[in-house]
Amino acid sequence: MAAGEFWDIVVITAANEKQELAYKQQLSEKLKKKELPLGVKYHVFADPPGAKIGNGGATLCALRCLEKLYGDEWNSFTILLIHSGGYSQRLPSSSALGKIFTALPFGSPIYQMLELKLAMYIDFPSHMNPGILITCADDIELYCIGESEFIRFDKPGFTALAHPSSLTVGTTHGVFVLEPFNHLEYRDLEYRSCHRYLHKPSIEEMYEFDAVCRPRKFFQQGFAGSDIPSLKLEAEYVYTDSLFYMDHNTAKKLLAFYEQIGMLHCEIDAYGDFLQALGPGATVEYTKNTLNVTKEESELVDMRQRIFHLLKGTPLNVVVLNNSKFYHIGTTEEYLFHFTGDSSLKSELGLQSIAFSLFPSIPECSTNKPCIIQSILNSTCSVKPGSVVEYSRLGPDVSVGENCIISGAYVKTTAVLPAYSFVCSLSLKMNGHLKYSTMACGVQDNLKKNVKTLSDVKLLQFFGVCLLSCLDIWNLKVTEELFSGNKSCLSLWNARIFPVCSSLSDSVTTSLKMLNAVQNKSTFSLNNYKLLSIEEMLFYKDVEDMITYREQISLEITLNRKQSDLETSY
């Protein structure tokens, strides 16, 4: 590609140095295999140690890193900034290697979220003034506009994409209150000005601030060949946010502010704290909207107010995409629905039920199918509809129930994985030795839910069963030693209940035994095992070994396909 036709820089944010290293290892593998566009500078920037700073803080931090690396040179760059700094607790199969490296069920080799982002935004840089496009690692924006139309990011201040959504969806997103517009019919692409931005408003607030739109006529062809857009714009609707752009001058203003404050000690939200300050209707009220203000949050109120006064008066331009959809794949529920259910995303992206895998065929008629990604399954395996298997080997007579997520596993022998199981194996480097541990729980388990005291551990649930009952089944005692990290924040995330083993297959087998024991109310003692929490697994993770395992599976699939091609050509 010629200069100006693609990004000058792609930045991925990471939560800490450990995650930064994991991302760099994966980027370097992809570049080595020419799976990413060359001629682009790829960077990973970790949040500084200490308090969580949110994606707004990570944005400020990334600006400082760019300034250090490039000085004034970055004034002329188009930059893609992808926020991928979370621990993905709601989709823990992405916790070890990162949300931006989540595998998608298409492509050979398999596409991951990073490649999809680069492909989706391929037209943006050539219609963009120097500045930064900010997006999250686990969302997908698809849109349809006229062949001669382009989305332009060429106005001063901020420019955000907007998608028509139901009022219910609006309560979990940012909602734009647009300035009046005199066109009677919809166009696929409209450039509008924003009066104010509401962050996760209630439905009452949407009405109060005039965010709710009423139907206009729509003459253009609908999305994915349908004759009306995905949201039937006959009903009332709101415009919700996804990615946004800031021009270079605005980025410089934010950087100067960050240099002045030196260190952040609270979470800043790039959407809630930057965008709510914009537009002529913005008021300072939102900055105080923190329930039960703690010491840390009192600093947050002050920081929000300073950002409000810094950005007040900066324009917020909105690119309205009337024929578009926004998808989020950040939870186990969303992941299973979009990959295996009756999701429109499957047809729009061409997602496959069997992607780059060796697996006996799936009956064509069924709507709900399993989804197999870069895996090798024995011909006597069965995988029920609604389950995803990725980067795994399943041997003879392995039976996977419905709505399971199986990642990085090796199941050698006959095994039953109960419906709604979540099974994800990690390679670990402990004291210089290669070990393995497999997190096994329920796909609906809430790993983030926490209690403050040991006496409240009974409120936590593992596979729908009270954690206390599970600990009895595994012959474990409730002590402080049972939890890693912060002892006043006890959860499934930091419960030391997952066995460490010397081989991958033993690790999966052992974790399945503890899962089956809970299901069958039998006993399986974990007393003789070294046990880790998911939090600790991520600390000890051996990224190199996990990449090697995936690579071995890939090579075997490729060789098998070549062999099949040879046999059919004779």
Side-chain angles (χ1 to χ4, degrees), residues 11 28 100 105 121 126 174-175 234 255 332 374 432 451 459 540 548:
V11 172
S28 106
I100 194 61
Y121 308 155
S126 52
V175 171
E234 298 147 14
L255 175 61
T332 52
Q374 195 167 318
V451 296
L459 301 173
Y540 290 116
T548 302

Side-chain angles (χ1 to χ4, degrees), residues 166-227:
S166 68
L167 275 59
T168 313
V169 168
T171 59
T172 58
H173 284 260
V175 171
F176 300 103
V177 180
L178 299 175
E179 297 286 6
F181 194 56
N182 56 11
H183 282 282
L184 290 174
E185 76 259 7
Y186 292 102
R187 299 170 176 186
D188 286 338
L189 175 65
E190 296 173 351
Y191 290 95
R192 306 275 299 268
S193 289
C194 187
H195 181 68
R196 74 181 292 175
Y197 170 92
L198 310 172
H199 192 239
K200 300 184 179 176
S202 66
I203 288 177
E204 294 72 38
E205 286 170 324
M206 293 179 211
Y207 280 110
E208 184 191 337
F209 294 113
D210 280 337
V212 180
C213 303
R214 276 126 198 124
R216 294 180 274 155
K217 291 179 192 162
F218 189 94
F219 294 119
Q220 305 280 59
Q221 189 198 23
F223 197 70
S226 66
D227 54 4

